[in-house]
Amino acid sequence: MRIPFSRRSDDAHLGPLAEYTALRAEIIHLMDQQWKIIAFLITTSGAVFGFAFTSASRIPLLLIIPFSSNILASRWVGCSQHIERVSLYIRTELDPQVPGGIGYEKWLRRTPDEPLGVRRMIRYVQASPMGVIFPALAVLALDSVAWWFLHSGRTWSDQAIGPGLATWAIGLLLTLLSLRLLWVAANRRTVTDFLHWRPGTN
């Protein structure tokens, strides 16, 4: 039996709605992954800090934190990027295929974006304060190791100073890279930016 054309037209939006439901579930999964990354960072960093401060000789173990923090920050920002791409696809591809559009996505689209720069970074930190914990814990660890070295009475002729300083410098570099990641994530073109962006514009 042939399905009337009007019936097929009425059901044409069911596919996009099903895809929208699946993509929203993926976004929720990615957000859950972000929270798990934060929880893992806090748990492991707390354990490292607790163990390191049990003895002054263990303070250099805190240099583990900048390395792990940078890796987890990269994963956290990667989840954010994927969420943005999925949201962009929903707004630009699926929304036009649904009669009347997807109300929630239209509401999100009306939310104004801050211009690129420091103000957007501040807004980003306010909206996602947990993201700042990556460089914050790394800075705390680096400061603790620097304070320990300055008050440990060790001399520059100590053979362990060279490798220790190199590790500390690498940790500092990774912390700066984490800050850079957050800066790029905060100032990356958002979905609304893409909707109004045209080739040749900044």
Side-chain angles (χ1 to χ4, degrees):
M1 183 177 72
R2 297 181 61 185
I3 300 176
F5 178 77
S6 59
R7 173 72 177 277
R8 285 182 292 173
S9 299
D10 293 339
D11 294 343
H13 66 282
L14 295 181
L17 281 178
E19 188 176 3
Y20 168 76
T21 301
L23 291 175
R24 290 302 304 179
E26 183 176 354
I27 289 176
I28 293 174
H29 173 71
L30 290 169
M31 294 176 67
D32 181 62
Q33 289 294 314
Q34 287 183 306
W35 280 108
K36 288 180 179 178
I37 291 171
I38 293 291
F40 179 78
L41 175 65
I42 293 175
T43 302
T44 55
S45 297
V48 173
F49 271 103
F51 180 74
F53 283 122
T54 57
S55 174
S57 61
R58 296 172 180 168
I59 297 295
L61 291 175
L62 294 176
L63 292 176
I64 297 173
I65 293 178
F67 289 83
S68 60
S69 177
N70 178 260
I71 294 173
L72 293 174
S74 300
R75 176 59 181 161
W76 192 85
V77 171
C79 288
S80 294
Q81 290 177 332
H82 194 52
I83 290 173
E84 290 171 5
R85 288 195 294 268
V86 172
S87 300
L88 177 61
Y89 177 78
I90 290 174
R91 295 190 186 190
T92 58
E93 299 296 329
L94 298 184
D95 183 78
Q97 299 182 47
V98 177
I102 300 174
Y104 180 63
E105 297 300 322
K106 285 189 174 182
W107 178 81
L108 288 176
R109 191 181 306 174
R110 289 198 298 267
T111 304
D113 291 319
E114 292 287 344
L116 301 180
V118 177
R119 290 186 62 183
R120 177 173 288 187
M121 182 65 181
I122 295 174
R123 289 283 187 181
Y124 183 81
V125 170
Q126 291 175 341
S128 304
M130 297 305 291
V132 185
I133 198 171
F134 297 102
L137 285 174
V139 169
L140 181 60
L142 291 171
D143 287 346
S144 297
V145 173
W147 180 89
W148 167 82
F149 172 74
L150 294 175
H151 294 81
S152 64
R154 293 177 177 268
T155 61
W156 292 99
S157 59
D158 193 324
Q159 293 183 353
I161 295 301
L165 284 177
T167 305
W168 190 91
I170 294 173
L172 178 60
L173 177 61
L174 291 175
T175 302
L176 294 175
L177 289 176
S178 296
L179 287 169
R180 172 65 178 170
L181 276 175
L182 293 173
W183 176 265
V184 172
N187 288 283
R188 189 187 304 113
R189 291 186 180 277
T190 62
V191 174
T192 305
D193 292 328
F194 277 112
L195 289 173
H196 297 287
W197 180 81
R198 294 293 182 274
T201 60
N202 294 322

